[in-house]
Amino acid sequence: MKRIAVLVSGGGTNLQALIDAQNRGEIVGGEIAAVISSTSDAYALERAAKAGIPGCVIARKEFASNQAMTLALVDKLKALNIDLVVLAGFMVILTEEMVNTYPNAIINVHPALIPSFAGPGCYGLHVHEKALEYGVKLSGATVHFVSAECDGGPIISQKAVEVLPDDTPEVLQRRIMEQAEWKLLPQAVSLFCQDKLKVEGRTVRILA
Ligand code: GAR
């Protein structure tokens, strides 16, 4: 069984989707071994506790830099013997020590169709604000491996979701979560745990 750590910062609905998928037996070959939060008041920690999954806090505000926090996280993940790191609404940009320790073994979910509305400053509701400002008719979600470039790693899966005329950022966020994120992320995690994701340069091949 691959040991999965889920990194969170907020509400944790993507964590919940992973927990629900695990409970349905849909995370084949892996188990969520730990939930690590960058904030002490993340509701995601309560979701972990309710599911009986060990949770801990590595608070961003206790470190002078993203670099110092990343080093602490890497130590913790190594101590927990983690095989796969999942960023599920994790709002800290990790430095290259993390990527070097877990090459093609960190999966992120982003609430837009990368390369649109991605990169530094594009996170959470801001992504949907930018999509609405631009006037796109389709947005969606992307699940990808994390590389040293913010939102720039090899794409595992994407799903388009319609933008409707009266959408607010909150309404669009919810539709993208329901129709795309909560499905794509558990599927990608399960494929990883079965060794079915093969990275070839920028491309991820899904093995049968
Ligand atoms: C999700 O929409 C996720 O895609 C996004 O934050 C939200 C977290 O919600 N992540 C990013 O923007 C990362 N760049 P959640 O805590 O309910 O899963």
Side-chain angles (χ1 to χ4, degrees):
M1 286 291 250
K2 290 202 173 25
R3 289 172 58 77
I4 304 163
V6 184
L7 275 49
V8 296
S9 298
T13 64
N14 278 289
L15 167 66
Q16 191 66 53
L18 289 165
I19 292 170
D20 293 346
Q22 172 163 280
N23 290 340
R24 291 192 302 264
E26 289 171 10
I27 307 290
V28 180
E31 60 172 350
I32 305 170
V35 170
I36 303 176
S37 176
S38 65
T39 57
S40 57
D41 56 355
Y43 184 65
L45 287 168
E46 281 183 45
R47 296 182 190 271
K50 278 188 197 141
I53 299 166
C56 74
V57 178
I58 297 187
R60 173 63 186 86
K61 65 173 190 219
E62 279 167 26
F63 295 89
S65 61
N66 284 357
Q67 166 80 350
M69 181 186 175
T70 301
L71 295 177
L73 260 175
V74 166
D75 282 349
K76 182 75 185 173
L77 294 167
K78 282 185 181 164
L80 290 168
N81 275 318
I82 294 302
D83 302 298
L84 170 65
V85 181
V86 178
L87 309 184
F90 189 67
M91 299 305 177
V92 180
I93 297 180
L94 298 166
T95 57
E96 65 182 335
E97 285 75 11
M98 179 65 83
V99 180
N100 293 342
T101 309
Y102 290 96
N104 294 328
I106 308 168
I107 290 177
N108 181 46
V109 59
H110 184 76
L113 295 172
I114 290 175
S116 292
F117 312 115
C122 274
Y123 59 89
L125 267 185
H126 299 304
V127 177
H128 308 294
E129 285 163 9
K130 285 176 201 275
L132 291 176
E133 263 166 42
Y134 200 97
V136 291
K137 305 294 186 194
L138 279 178
S139 190
T142 303
V143 173
H144 66 96
F145 282 118
V146 172
S147 70
E149 184 196 343
C150 178
D151 293 331
I155 290 172
I156 299 166
S157 56
Q158 292 188 297
K159 188 163 188 282
V161 174
E162 243 187 317
V163 179
L164 297 177
D166 295 325
D167 274 351
T168 61
E170 290 80 4
V171 167
L172 180 59
Q173 177 182 54
R174 181 78 191 183
R175 187 179 311 115
I176 289 174
M177 284 175 158
E178 282 176 358
Q179 294 186 12
E181 295 184 48
W182 299 342
K183 295 178 181 165
L184 293 188
L185 185 61
Q187 282 167 1
V189 167
S190 185
L191 288 168
F192 178 94
C193 291
Q194 296 169 75
D195 292 319
K196 286 188 174 176
L197 298 178
K198 190 152 185 274
V199 182
E200 295 170 346
R202 282 216 52 88
T203 305
V204 179
R205 200 146 58 87
I206 299 177
L207 306 178

